Amino acid sequence: MTQKSPGLVELCKAKGRRITGQRKIIADVISSAHDHPDVPEIHRRAMRKDEKISLSTVYRTLKIFAEIGLIEQHSFEGGPFRVERAEGPHHDHLIDTTNGRVIEFRSEEIERLQTEIAEKLGYELTGHRLELYGRPKAK
Amino acid sequence: MTQKSPGLVELCKAKGRRITGQRKIIADVISSAHDHPDVPEIHRRAMRKDEKISLSTVYRTLKIFAEIGLIEQHSFEGGPFRVERAEGPHHDHLIDTTNGRVIEFRSEEIERLQTEIAEKLGYELTGHRLELYGRPKAK
DNA sequence: TCGTTAATGCAAATTATTTGCAATAAGGGG
DNA sequence: CCCCTTATTGCAAATAATTTGCATTAACGA
C-alpha cells in the first residue's frame, strides 16, 4: 500500500457505508495516483492488488466515493470520466493538447466572476466547470 | 423550411463537399433550432421532413459540419453531444440544473483571464470550455 | 458467533457513437 | 441533358462506456 487513504473510513461510516476490501483498494489506488485516471485505468491498477475485482464494482464504488465527497469525477472534451481526489482547495484544469496532460490551477478572480455572472442572470451557482486547452509555448 | 441555412452551400463547396438533400435538411433543422439539441433529437426533427434519413447520416453530417465550421459540438457534464450553430460572437453556457435549459452569456473579463492564466503556465490557449451550473434564484 | 442486508461478480442490457459495405445520387464533362 | 466517377447514404453490425439484474458473499452490530 503506497499510502493511507485519508478519510475513507470516516466518510463511509458517516453515510452508513460498509468498508470492504475492494473499497480500500480502490481508495488507495486513487490516493496514490498522481494523475487523473479514467475508470478502466483505475480498474487495471486495482487489479494489480486483487486480480478478481470487477469493473462494475469500480464503477459503483467511484459513484459512492463521489457521493460521500471523497473524489470528483470530470470528463474532458466528451471523453470518459476521469477521477481525482477531492482534497485541497478547489481548482480548475488546463489540458495540454499535445499529450493530454492535465495541469491544475486556481484563480480567485475567475471564481468570483462566475458567481457574479450567474447572479446577474438570476441564478444561484451550484457548480461549474472550467477547462483550458492549450499547447506549450515555444519560448 | 423555416429559414435559409446561411453558409451551407458556400462552406461545403469550399471543402469539396456535396450538397445533398439530407445535408440541407439537417442544416435547416440546426439553423431553426433555438435550443441546443443532441444528436438523437436532431435526427427526430430531421425525420419530420424526411422519414428515411438515418441516424448514421446525422452523425456523419454533424461531424462534417463541425469540420467546415458550420456548427460547434459541446457535451455538458459528460452527457451526449449537443449542437449549436457557430455564428455570432463566442459565448459560454450556464445550465439550469432544474430543467437542463442552456443560457448563453459572454464575459470579456473571463476570456482575458483565461488567456492570462494559460500564458502564466507557459501555454498558448487553443480552446476552452466554461460551464456554469445553477438554479434560478428565489427572488 | 449469527443474522440481516449491503456489496460483489458476472453476464446481459443500455446508451452513445462509429464503421463496413453494397446501393444510390451529386454534379462536372462531354 | 445524359453519363460516369466517386462521395454519400442506409442499414446492420461493431465499439465503448456505463449500468443493471440476480444469485452469492461478506460486513459488522446484536
Side-chain angles (χ1 to χ4, degrees), chain A residues 17 20 22-23 52 54 57 60:
Chain A
R17 294 308 198 160
T20 67
Q22 23 289 73
R23 285 183 187 171
K52 54 178 52 57
S54 82
T57 294
R60 280 188 282 232

Side-chain angles (χ1 to χ4, degrees), chain A residues 1-2 24 26 55 57 63 74 102-103 108 113 127 136:
Chain A
M1 228 169 274
T2 318
K24 278 190 253 181
I26 295 171
L55 222 207
T57 294
K63 181 179 288 186
H74 301 289
V102 177
I103 294 161
E108 302 291 355
L113 282 170

Side-chain angles (χ1 to χ4, degrees), chain B residues 114-129:
Chain B
Q114 290 178 349
T115 308
E116 203 172 277
I117 289 169
E119 209 133 287
K120 202 168 301 176
L121 294 171
Y123 279 79
E124 181 192 340
L125 194 65
T126 58
H128 73 109
R129 164 154 76 169

Side-chain angles (χ1 to χ4, degrees), chain B residues 16-82:
Chain B
R17 293 311 197 156
R18 289 181 183 173
I19 298 166
T20 68
Q22 24 289 72
R23 285 182 187 171
K24 278 189 255 183
I25 289 174
I26 296 170
D28 193 62
V29 165
I30 292 169
S31 79
S32 57
H34 289 179
D35 51 358
H36 298 70
D38 61 17
V39 184
E41 176 60 24
I42 290 174
H43 182 220
R44 250 171 263 128
R45 296 181 191 177
M47 282 200 292
R48 294 208 281 262
K49 307 186 180 187
D50 173 2
E51 30 344 282
K52 53 177 54 57
I53 199 166
S54 81
L55 222 208
S56 332
T57 294
V58 177
Y59 271 108
R60 280 188 281 231
T61 299
L62 292 177
K63 180 179 288 185
I64 289 172
F65 281 3
E67 278 167 9
I68 67 181
L70 190 64
I71 64 166
E72 277 175 29
Q73 298 181 146
H74 302 289
S75 85
F76 303 130
E77 27 182 41
F81 282 120
R82 283 150 166 275

Side-chain angles (χ1 to χ4, degrees), chain A residues 94 103-110 132 134-137 139, chain B residues 111-125:
Chain A
L94 185 156
I103 294 161
E104 305 177 349
F105 69 85
R106 81 175 264 89
S107 163
E108 302 291 355
E109 193 151 6
I110 285 189
L132 304 185
R135 53 171 165 251
K137 240 185 340 194
K139 19 151 217 330
Chain B
E111 301 293 323
R112 187 178 52 67
L113 282 169
Q114 290 178 349
T115 308
E116 203 172 277
I117 289 169
E119 209 133 287
K120 202 168 301 176
L121 294 171
Y123 279 79
E124 181 192 340
L125 194 65

